[in-house]
Amino acid sequence: MRVRGWRGKDKHQYTFTTSWVPNLINQYRSFDGRTLKVSANDNWPFFGLKSLPGGAAGDVPDIGIDVQIINTLGLYLNFTYEVRRPSDGKWGNLLDNGTITGMIGDVANRVAHLAISQITITRKRERVIDFSAPYFFDSLTVVSRTPQLRSRALAAFSPFTAQVWLCIGLFTLGLGPLTRLFTWLAPPPDSHRPVSSQEGMVMSHQREVVFNIYIKGSTTRGVSEFSFHFFRSLVVQSNLLYPRPWYLRFLFVSWYLFCFYVYALYSGTLIAVLAVPSYETPVDSLWDLPAAVAQGFSVGLIEGTSDLYIFQEAKSGVYQEVWKLLDYTNFVRNADHGFDKITQEKYLFINIQMNSELSAIQRGRQRFYFAQQTFYPQGYGIACFSGAPFLPKFNQMLMRMLSSGLISHWKNIELARAYSSYSASSSTPTLTGNRKPGAITLEHLQAAFFVLVLGFLTAVISLVGEVAWTAWSKSCW
């Protein structure tokens, strides 16, 4: 503010200019060697911790992007720092009962001057602490195991859905009684119609075959015989029935065309199913999670992070639907725990994109599948207690690091550190198994042999039943 001063002997008016608010950026150009308390979780590639040498209690910073940031701030602003982990091991948030947990709670309760370890900036957290300007941006993804080969046990039934199989079965069984009903309702044929000698020979030959094999001298065709012949047509076998009435010919022709169409679709689809390997449907977005859960997968994420609260506090939309799929028993302590569950069970892990990529590289990138769509973009900042006077200086330094490319450089260092532990071939994301067409194996024909064995068992049971019925009938008579 401007304050008027005095008039000198030279009759000039002098003014004195000052400010009641100190310039914090200039004031905190140096911390004069102070020691700050920093709350952090062990969270490589951002803040890796290691135990003190000699078995002493406590942790010291090791490697990571955030470690590089806080070290650079300490070097240029002349301060040192001590690291402490939050008592509950969480990132923290403001709960509905007013409790503040994790690293956020340490800062809000002035147990620590600041917290840094990939902390997402959220409005709810900003109610109790102040954040620096965001220095890193990332988004969430869904990680699962690499899609596995589908079982070929029921490959013979895979060309059609259950509804199609049901319709085919009902029509095959229903046409027998329908045809028998037509023959019962139709008037008797004109036995005096003249028939040519050639037609008579064909009809005589076909009737002879039918009579000798199926009817055994009887000219009455029952429901079972009609149904069996319709089934023969369905499996592309010759039909020994010779329908003379035109209404039966129309019925048979429509059934033959139907069978031809069904057979063409079935055979073509079955060849494709058996010749080319089929894999599980991958999870590429949040919308795919309900179908994956229906197939036996469980969904989880790291407990106590902001990622949990975006689902918990959602009032509508896909986030609310995902929250209904979550179970506290599937929450994990950290990313390592989440990736262990992926390899051990059918588990879908919602986590930060970069952390997940590095964790997957360490374990073999080809073993994991990442969703094609990421979601919930977020920025990370340094958490400071409300009204922290050094925050403007921190923001200035962070902007310099960003504009100079230092943070991107440190990110590349951590990526190179992860890749160095594995060869380039092991880090290439590929689906397991041979994706080329191969020969038909016994695995492909499991369903066919299953049907054959089931038919044999049914025949044996029927034989035993008939023998028992015959023996019982003789004993009764």
Side-chain angles (χ1 to χ4, degrees):
M1 62 179 295
R2 183 180 296 273
V3 180
R4 292 188 179 276
W6 63 93
R7 185 180 298 273
K9 293 181 180 181
D10 55 358
K11 297 183 179 181
H12 286 106
Q13 180 70 33
Y14 292 92
T15 58
F16 176 75
T17 303
T18 184
S19 175
W20 286 355
V21 180
N23 189 330
L24 297 179
I25 293 181
N26 293 330
Q27 185 174 352
Y28 282 92
R29 286 182 298 180
S30 174
F31 282 69
D32 298 326
R34 298 176 188 173
T35 300
L36 302 183
K37 295 180 180 179
V38 176
S39 180
N41 278 324
D42 186 14
N43 179 41
W44 182 82
F46 282 89
F47 209 103
L49 294 174
K50 63 180 180 180
S51 301
L52 289 171
D59 300 289
V60 293
D62 186 15
I63 55 175
I65 299 172
D66 288 349
V67 173
Q68 296 278 16
I69 291 175
I70 195 66
N71 286 344
T72 303
L73 290 174
L75 177 64
Y76 282 88
L77 301 181
N78 190 22
F79 68 82
T80 60
Y81 64 95
E82 297 176 352
V83 178
R84 71 179 304 276
R85 300 193 192 205
S87 57
D88 56 8
K90 299 179 180 180
W91 270 251
N93 209 349
L94 173 63
L95 304 183
D96 294 337
N97 59 7
T99 304
I100 310 173
T101 61
M103 292 183 288
I104 302 300
D106 285 353
V107 175
N109 297 322
R110 304 298 179 96
V111 177
H113 294 97
L114 58 95
I116 179 171
S117 183
Q118 194 186 10
I119 303 177
T120 303
I121 301 173
T122 65
R123 291 184 178 180
K124 195 168 187 179
R125 287 173 172 173
E126 286 183 318
R127 297 179 187 174
V128 292
I129 53 99
D130 290 340
F131 274 106
S132 69
Y135 60 85
F136 196 97
F137 295 92
D138 207 341
S139 56
L140 293 175
T141 186
V142 181
V143 189
S144 59
R145 69 185 187 187
T146 299
Q148 306 295 308
L149 280 170
R150 294 184 185 274
S151 173
R152 304 298 182 90
L154 300 177
F157 303 105
S158 59
F160 295 148
T161 63
Q163 292 85 349
V164 174
W165 282 116
L166 179 62
C167 291
I168 292 175
L170 292 177
F171 271 94
T172 304
L173 295 176
L175 281 176
L178 179 63
T179 307
R180 183 66 184 89
L181 178 63
F182 280 1
T183 59
W184 181 74
L185 294 175
D190 185 8
S191 58
H192 302 288
R193 182 180 66 85
V195 179
S196 64
S197 59
Q198 182 178 1
E199 182 183 0
M201 292 177 60
V202 173
M203 293 174 58
S204 175
H205 173 70
Q206 291 185 349
R207 285 176 177 173
E208 181 182 356
V209 174
V210 173
F211 293 167
N212 292 339
I213 297 179
Y214 297 101
I215 305 178
K216 296 183 179 180
S218 174
T219 57
T220 303
R221 294 169 176 80
V223 174
S224 60
E225 183 185 350
F226 280 124
S227 298
F228 182 72
H229 281 285
F230 280 117
F231 174 75
R232 285 174 57 86
S233 301
L234 184 65
V235 294
V236 199
Q237 299 294 317
S238 60
N239 192 349
L240 300 180
L241 290 178
Y242 184 83
R244 293 184 59 190
W246 280 101
Y247 62 87
L248 287 182
R249 291 180 180 181
F250 288 134
L251 179 64
F252 275 50
V253 167
S254 62
W255 176 250
Y256 295 157
L257 292 176
F258 172 80
C259 293
F260 172 77
Y261 189 67
V262 169
Y263 175 76
L265 291 177
Y266 177 81
S267 59
T269 307
L270 184 62
I271 291 173
V273 169
L274 296 180
V276 180
S278 177
Y279 290 86
E280 296 174 337
T281 303
V283 176
D284 281 324
S285 68
L286 292 180
W287 297 104
D288 297 332
L289 292 181
V293 171
Q295 296 175 4
F297 282 86
S298 57
V299 185
L301 57 147
I302 299 177
E303 183 180 6
T305 62
S306 62
D307 307 337
L308 170 63
Y309 295 102
I310 66 171
F311 298 108
Q312 184 178 9
E313 298 174 359
K315 304 300 182 182
S316 61
V318 65
Y319 288 171
Q320 185 185 44
E321 297 300 320
V322 173
W323 174 249
K324 297 177 182 179
L325 303 175
L326 294 174
D327 189 342
Y328 279 102
T329 58
N330 296 318
F331 293 167
V332 295
R333 301 181 300 274
N334 49 47
D336 290 335
H337 186 198
F339 274 82
D340 290 340
K341 286 178 69 69
I342 293 176
T343 58
Q344 295 168 4
E345 57 187 85
K346 299 176 72 173
Y347 185 73
L348 302 173
F349 185 38
I350 300 175
N351 194 37
I352 296 298
Q353 176 82 16
M354 180 177 174
N355 294 50
S356 301
E357 287 283 357
L358 294 178
S359 297
I361 291 170
Q362 285 186 319
R363 291 165 172 79
R365 180 61 175 80
Q366 73 281 358
R367 301 172 60 191
F368 303 97
Y369 183 86
F370 284 72
Q372 297 295 319
Q373 298 181 15
T374 59
F375 61 97
Y376 193 67
Q378 52 192 277
Y380 307 141
I382 300 176
C384 306
F385 59 86
S386 297
F390 51 82
L391 188 57
K393 188 62 180 180
F394 274 24
N395 286 335
Q396 184 189 61
M397 295 296 297
L398 288 172
M399 292 301 101
R400 290 179 180 177
M401 295 181 201
L402 277 172
S403 59
S404 64
L406 275 176
I407 295 180
S408 297
H409 172 66
W410 294 329
K411 171 187 174 182
N412 294 333
I413 289 177
E414 301 307 322
L415 286 171
R417 195 191 309 275
Y419 276 107
S420 64
S421 60
Y422 281 87
S423 63
S425 61
S426 65
S427 62
T428 301
T430 56
L431 295 178
T432 58
N434 181 15
R435 298 184 64 83
K436 298 180 180 179
I440 302 299
T441 64
L442 185 60
E443 181 184 4
H444 301 95
L445 299 177
Q446 290 182 62
F449 283 102
F450 172 77
V451 172
L452 182 62
V453 172
L454 182 63
F456 286 164
L457 292 178
T458 305
V460 171
I461 294 174
S462 300
L463 176 61
V464 172
E466 290 184 9
V467 171
W469 174 260
T470 302
W472 180 81
S473 299
K474 290 182 178 180
S475 62
C476 291
W477 290 97

